[in-house]
Amino acid sequence: METFTISDIEQRTGFSQDTIRYYERIGLLPEIRRKANGRREYSQADLDCFTFVAFLKRANMPLKEIERYIMFYNAQNYKGCITVLQDHKIMIEEQIADMLTALDMMKYKIANYQELMGHDPSQTGPANEGGHLLEDN
């Protein structure tokens, strides 16, 4: 059976060793096995769990929700797991919609400013006191 050190987990997940220890302390993982010299020894299942936690963190799931998901998972409460994941999926979809709206607005503004500059390429336009152009001419 392949085992991993805390450095391996750090490299594979991007979590610092302090974060890994903290996540262990708060119970995101069951108690980690230790070698005779006291060093942590992680299994593939431990690595898989940390990898999934890293994925959830990158998806901006709050730590409390990750803890809730892990609690449901450890209790084999798969309905609870689905609920946590579905709730976060909805939040991600809302964020994506918001970001697409923002992206469309930026594309519109860029195209508008390029069109305005096309009339007079030397025109850079005045900036307001804060240095930002908020309104189209």
Side-chain angles (χ1 to χ4, degrees):
M1 175 175 84
E2 184 177 14
T3 60
F4 304 93
T5 65
I6 195 167
S7 294
D8 295 330
I9 302 296
E10 178 181 38
Q11 289 173 344
R12 292 172 187 232
T13 64
F15 291 140
S16 70
Q17 291 186 25
D18 286 340
T19 298
I20 294 166
R21 289 183 192 103
Y22 174 71
Y23 286 175
E24 289 173 16
R25 245 189 341 271
I26 65 172
L28 286 183
L29 284 178
E31 191 170 328
I32 300 302
R33 289 175 309 286
R34 294 191 181 254
K35 295 180 182 182
N37 64 6
R39 293 186 183 260
R40 290 168 169 82
E41 183 177 55
Y42 299 92
S43 68
Q44 182 64 51
D46 297 331
L47 174 59
D48 293 345
C49 183
F50 269 122
T51 300
F52 189 63
V53 168
F55 166 79
L56 294 175
K57 288 295 291 173
R58 282 192 306 277
N60 295 321
M61 182 179 279
L63 191 54
K64 288 290 183 197
E65 284 302 294
I66 295 172
E67 290 176 282
R68 196 167 147 244
Y69 169 83
I70 296 293
M71 179 194 66
F72 286 137
Y73 177 80
N74 289 338
Q76 295 184 340
N77 179 342
Y78 302 127
K79 184 177 181 183
C81 290
I82 290 170
T83 298
V84 171
L85 295 175
Q86 281 181 330
D87 289 348
H88 196 67
K89 176 183 157 288
I90 290 167
M91 189 190 79
I92 289 171
E93 289 169 343
E94 290 170 355
Q95 289 175 339
I96 288 170
D98 289 346
M99 293 302 287
L100 288 172
T101 299
L103 180 61
D104 286 343
M105 178 58 73
M106 286 193 189
K107 286 178 182 178
Y108 166 78
K109 289 289 197 178
I110 289 167
N112 185 57
Y113 291 132
Q114 287 172 334
E115 182 182 332
L116 290 170
M117 287 175 57
H119 295 12
D120 181 1
S122 67
Q123 174 67 24
T124 58
N128 67 9
E129 289 178 12
H132 303 284
L133 292 174
L134 299 177
E135 299 295 326
D136 295 336
N137 294 342

